[in-house]
Amino acid sequence: MSRAGRSAGRSASGSGQDAATVDLSAVIVAASPDGPLVLLRQIGGDLLPSLPSGPLEPRHRTIEAGLRSWVEELTGHSLGYVEQLYTFGDANRHASARGQTSRSLSIGYLALVRETRARQGDDIAWQSWYRFFPWEDMRAGAPQVMTRIREGIAGWIAEAPRDEREDRESRARAAFGAAGDRWNEELVLERYELLYEIGLVPEAHRDGAACWAPREAALTEAESLYSDHRRILATGISRLRGKIKYRPVVFELMQPRFTFLQLQRTVEALAGVELHKPNFRRLVEHQGLVEETGAVTSNTGGRPARLLRFRRDILREHPGTGVGLPPGRPRKT
Amino acid sequence: MSRAGRSAGRSASGSGQDAATVDLSAVIVAASPDGPLVLLRQIGGDLLPSLPSGPLEPRHRTIEAGLRSWVEELTGHSLGYVEQLYTFGDANRHASARGQTSRSLSIGYLALVRETRARQGDDIAWQSWYRFFPWEDMRAGAPQVMTRIREGIAGWIAEAPRDEREDRESRARAAFGAAGDRWNEELVLERYELLYEIGLVPEAHRDGAACWAPREAALTEAESLYSDHRRILATGISRLRGKIKYRPVVFELMQPRFTFLQLQRTVEALAGVELHKPNFRRLVEHQGLVEETGAVTSNTGGRPARLLRFRRDILREHPGTGVGLPPGRPRKT
DNA sequence: TCAAAAGTGTTATCCTTACACCCATGT
DNA sequence: ACATGGGTGTAAGGATAACACTTTTGA
């Protein structure tokens, strides 16, 4: 093989590229006193709720610009932080898509917004994401649904063929944690995929996947979403939960001025775990992420609290400690 | 707006979805004693080297399966670890794509392989990735090219309009580090994008971007790649450098048995920094990632070393410490 | 014998996690 | 007065990052 097949493009087989249908899906997140919110369309009615989706129009210079454009039109206010999540394109994304020659792709984005007021109604509303992932909210300890999940998992392990048993055990332990383990709030996608595989989630049956649990065993405590949107949402939550640990993205969800406890409650809502107040305070102080405004607020229910603001000038770096690489070799100069 | 415009799809504007040309691009990485390698096509000749790209065929159930299929056909051996990187689709991806109605997208993947022998020739070869990013190799201290880069950056800052000056300064400091700062090896993409924006990289001029430096000022010490492939490669390197810190992916590049120093050299090659031997050793030991095989090797140039193997059973979790969230509130039971 | 790499010991420092405790306000 | 949240002190244990040093081979 010489240079043939290169001129037309960069395709390995020389067979050219395929046309595909592409849209954008957005996990748009806001924080409220009550919990983490995500924007969904078509609440109520006989169809399942779906993430806002829009077309990928060639007139925008970047994909992200296209996303911002239609989301801002849809919600009526501008997006803050935006990041690409993942491109979803399994052939069974859409039950109806099988047999098509052209694949249907969806580029998922995560967006954080401060406002939650605009454009309610219009077929669109904010929902707590824990409606769709009740097992991800461990703030008040393990929720009800967890016992049903653990039962399901136990059955799936018990009825495993001999040689798959250990594998299933360790996968379950990795995702949901064993007795003494600390809950790892980042593994949202892993947990969802395990439940999907076991068949505890209705999408698995909808997609016609072969799974252990019968359709009736699917968890009723959790609501489903259109197509693979629950998977996309899980990806978004995972990414956000990971990111708040090493980048100051929470502040994209906060009002301009806030108290330590408000900040803590927001982080807790996103992470789905409760935190230790004094240590949270010191961690944030220590990182130099906030500064005092001088003002205080008495809407606290207790002693008045100082109002803080995010130090925007910190965005320069904050490398995030990133475990794993030991110190560099000291270089004699 | 009621439920209209929903039946046909999930498009916000109801205008339907756009067809786009989609292909897959792969950053295929291997490690050698000499450094980190990436697989490139069309070395030599008058065209720039490019990452292997292939079509997205509808017959594969997942995008990843499609990728594996053509890469394995191309290289003649199977891929180990594979992960999706990013979907690239700026309108100026392809200089020739402007004015088209259909956008050209590329879904970038990172793949790690152990073998480097198969299918050399055939228009395809392994290259050290530092040919394209010489400034990313800090193993022997700051390389030559760094002084040219710092000069360029200094000029760009000096000639900034009053109100942009501080911004430019802090962006440069974030990407390349100030005097006393530790080099942050993860910021490969940020550094590339800064160089692109300044115009120190020929792609910027090829794409017709408006930038500070003239075309002749572009760095000659670094080689360019076809289209936006240097950006895709930068994304891959960034991702890999981040990942080795909290997931045991290095072992996907190692032979089945290896010594501590071989492992260290591989990590160093990827991260582009030198590490402190005794501490690296203890870190790896401490994490329980490896076990002794009992064998030793004398191909060391010094005292024989014990041969290790990766403990595959560790893949269960290793949460990765993830800095940032203080401990959970102790829950009284 | 010496260079080169393998390996061990030890220490100061910082960060993490947990405990206990006091302060200021509204009802 | 007491509940609620705001805010401080401190100490044990572990991880990090640096230092110095011994051991075992081949040339």
Side-chain angles (χ1 to χ4, degrees):
Chain A
M1 195 198 296
S2 70
R3 281 173 220 165
R6 171 65 181 286
S7 52
R10 291 159 292 119
S11 142
S13 58
S15 68
Q17 296 148 332
D18 299 83
T21 315
V22 183
D23 66 9
L24 302 173
S25 300
V27 176
I28 305 172
V29 174
S32 79
D34 308 316
L37 300 176
V38 61
L39 198 61
L40 292 171
R41 304 188 71 206
Q42 188 70 32
I43 306 298
D46 47 352
L47 287 170
L48 291 170
S50 65
L51 293 173
S53 295
L56 176 63
E57 288 169 6
R59 68 189 162 92
H60 296 106
R61 206 184 59 79
T62 65
I63 308 181
E64 191 182 307
L67 178 96
R68 297 190 109 101
S69 155
W70 69 256
V71 171
E72 289 172 3
E73 192 189 334
L74 177 74
T75 64
H77 52 247
S78 75
L79 293 181
Y81 180 85
V82 169
E83 106 175 31
Q84 194 186 98
L85 277 179
Y86 196 81
T87 296
F88 300 85
D90 293 2
N92 63 356
R93 260 199 93 223
H94 231 165
S96 64
R98 272 172 291 179
Q100 284 182 209
T101 45
S102 138
R103 181 188 293 265
S104 135
L105 291 178
S106 190
I107 310 179
Y109 272 82
L110 171 68
L112 306 182
V113 302
R114 232 175 289 274
E115 293 294 321
T116 63
R117 278 177 289 281
R119 287 292 168 89
Q120 288 265 7
D122 284 40
D123 227 15
I124 200 162
W126 293 99
Q127 296 287 326
S128 167
W129 70 37
Y130 294 123
R131 282 180 72 148
F132 314 99
F133 298 99
W135 56 86
E136 294 295 342
D137 188 3
M138 302 283 277
R139 285 176 294 177
Q144 286 290 319
V145 69
M146 211 56 164
T147 63
R148 289 221 32 216
I149 290 175
R150 296 226 182 256
E151 283 166 22
I153 291 178
W156 175 69
I157 292 173
E159 294 186 23
R162 222 39 176 93
D163 55 326
E164 275 187 49
R165 181 114 179 218
E166 246 191 292
D167 184 54
R168 290 191 180 180
E169 247 164 12
S170 68
R171 285 178 53 210
R173 193 174 44 238
F176 284 89
D181 297 7
R182 182 174 163 175
W183 175 253
N184 186 338
E185 74 285 343
E186 277 189 54
L187 306 177
V188 185
L189 183 60
E190 286 81 349
R191 283 188 281 269
Y192 174 75
E193 292 193 326
L194 191 66
L195 296 180
Y196 183 102
E197 186 180 331
I198 298 180
L200 291 176
V201 123
E203 297 89 300
H205 304 284
R206 228 156 61 207
D207 297 346
C211 35
W212 172 79
R215 186 173 213 119
E216 309 79 60
L219 303 166
T220 52
E221 297 88 338
E223 287 178 46
S224 186
L225 290 174
Y226 175 78
S227 183
D228 59 350
H229 288 197
R230 190 144 60 149
R231 181 183 304 261
I232 301 179
L233 179 53
T235 308
I237 299 174
S238 274
R239 187 76 134 265
L240 184 51
R241 285 186 172 180
K243 206 124 203 172
I244 46 174
K245 295 185 187 166
Y246 63 97
R247 297 247 105 171
V249 287
V250 217
F251 301 102
E252 303 288 342
L253 298 168
M254 303 300 296
Q255 297 300 316
R257 302 194 309 172
F258 49 86
T259 68
F260 268 116
L261 191 60
Q262 285 167 355
L263 181 62
Q264 183 182 337
R265 290 285 177 252
T266 305
V267 173
E268 288 175 336
L270 300 175
V273 295
E274 274 189 322
L275 303 176
H276 184 262
K277 184 154 67 168
N279 288 338
F280 177 81
R281 184 192 196 77
R282 276 182 285 235
L283 179 75
V284 175
E285 265 169 351
H286 182 75
Q287 296 187 132
L289 296 174
V290 298
E291 61 193 0
E292 298 191 8
T293 59
V296 294
T297 177
S298 299
N299 302 345
T300 54
R303 169 176 170 178
R306 299 174 218 182
L307 283 167
L308 311 170
R309 86 167 69 88
F310 176 48
R311 287 187 53 208
R312 284 224 108 73
D313 50 318
I314 219 66
L315 279 174
R316 307 173 349 186
E317 191 157 350
H318 180 0
T321 329
V323 230
L325 281 192
R329 189 170 66 73
R331 179 171 302 284
K332 323 287 186 201
T333 47
Chain B
M1 194 201 295
S2 69
R3 279 173 221 161
R6 170 64 181 286
S7 51
R10 291 158 294 120
S11 158
S13 58
S15 68
Q17 297 147 330
D18 299 84
T21 314
V22 182
D23 66 8
L24 302 173
S25 299
V27 176
I28 304 172
V29 174
S32 78
D34 309 317
L37 300 176
V38 60
L39 197 62
L40 291 170
R41 304 188 71 206
Q42 189 70 33
I43 307 297
D46 48 351
L47 287 170
L48 291 170
S50 66
L51 292 173
S53 296
L56 175 63
E57 288 170 6
R59 68 189 161 91
H60 296 106
R61 207 183 60 79
T62 65
I63 309 181
E64 191 182 308
L67 178 96
R68 296 190 109 101
S69 155
W70 68 255
V71 171
E72 290 173 2
E73 193 188 333
L74 178 73
T75 64
H77 53 249
S78 74
L79 294 181
Y81 180 85
V82 168
E83 106 175 32
Q84 195 187 95
L85 276 178
Y86 197 81
T87 295
F88 300 85
D90 293 3
N92 63 357
R93 261 199 91 222
H94 231 162
S96 63
R98 272 172 290 182
Q100 287 182 206
T101 46
S102 140
R103 180 189 293 267
S104 135
L105 291 178
S106 190
I107 309 179
Y109 273 82
L110 171 67
L112 307 182
V113 302
R114 231 174 290 273
E115 292 294 321
T116 62
R117 278 177 287 282
R119 280 303 163 87
Q120 288 264 10
D122 285 36
D123 225 15
I124 200 162
W126 293 99
Q127 295 287 327
S128 167
W129 71 36
Y130 293 122
R131 280 179 75 146
F132 314 99
F133 298 100
W135 56 86
E136 293 295 343
D137 188 2
M138 302 283 275
R139 286 178 292 178
Q144 285 291 318
V145 68
M146 209 56 164
T147 63
R148 289 222 32 216
I149 289 175
R150 297 223 179 259
E151 283 167 21
I153 291 178
W156 175 68
I157 292 174
E159 294 185 24
R162 230 22 183 102
D163 54 327
E164 274 187 52
R165 180 114 179 222
E166 246 190 290
D167 184 54
R168 289 190 180 181
E169 248 164 10
S170 68
R171 286 177 52 211
R173 192 173 45 239
F176 285 89
D181 297 7
R182 181 174 161 175
W183 175 253
N184 186 339
E185 74 286 342
E186 277 188 55
L187 306 177
V188 185
L189 183 61
E190 286 81 347
R191 283 187 282 267
Y192 174 74
E193 292 193 327
L194 191 66
L195 296 180
Y196 183 102
E197 187 180 330
I198 298 179
L200 292 177
V201 123
E203 296 88 299
H205 304 283
R206 227 156 61 205
D207 297 345
C211 38
W212 172 79
R215 183 170 215 120
E216 310 79 60
L219 303 166
T220 51
E221 297 88 339
E223 287 179 45
S224 187
L225 290 175
Y226 176 77
S227 184
D228 60 351
H229 287 196
R230 190 145 59 151
R231 181 182 305 261
I232 301 179
L233 179 54
T235 308
I237 299 173
S238 274
R239 188 78 132 263
L240 184 52
R241 284 185 173 181
K243 205 122 203 174
I244 46 174
K245 293 185 187 167
Y246 62 96
R247 295 250 108 171
V249 286
V250 216
F251 301 102
E252 303 288 341
L253 298 168
M254 304 298 297
Q255 297 300 315
R257 303 194 308 172
F258 49 86
T259 68
F260 267 117
L261 191 60
Q262 285 166 354
L263 181 63
Q264 181 181 340
R265 291 286 177 249
T266 305
V267 172
E268 288 176 337
L270 299 175
V273 295
E274 273 189 324
L275 303 175
H276 183 263
K277 184 154 66 168
N279 288 339
F280 176 82
R281 183 191 195 80
R282 276 182 285 238
L283 179 76
V284 175
E285 265 168 352
H286 182 76
Q287 295 186 133
L289 296 174
V290 297
E291 61 192 1
E292 297 191 9
T293 59
V296 294
T297 177
S298 299
N299 303 347
T300 54
R303 171 175 167 178
R306 299 175 219 182
L307 282 167
L308 310 171
R309 86 167 70 88
F310 176 48
R311 286 188 52 210
R312 284 225 109 72
D313 50 318
I314 220 64
L315 278 174
R316 305 176 348 182
E317 192 155 351
H318 181 356
T321 331
V323 229
L325 282 193
R329 187 171 66 74
R331 179 172 300 283
K332 321 289 185 200
T333 46

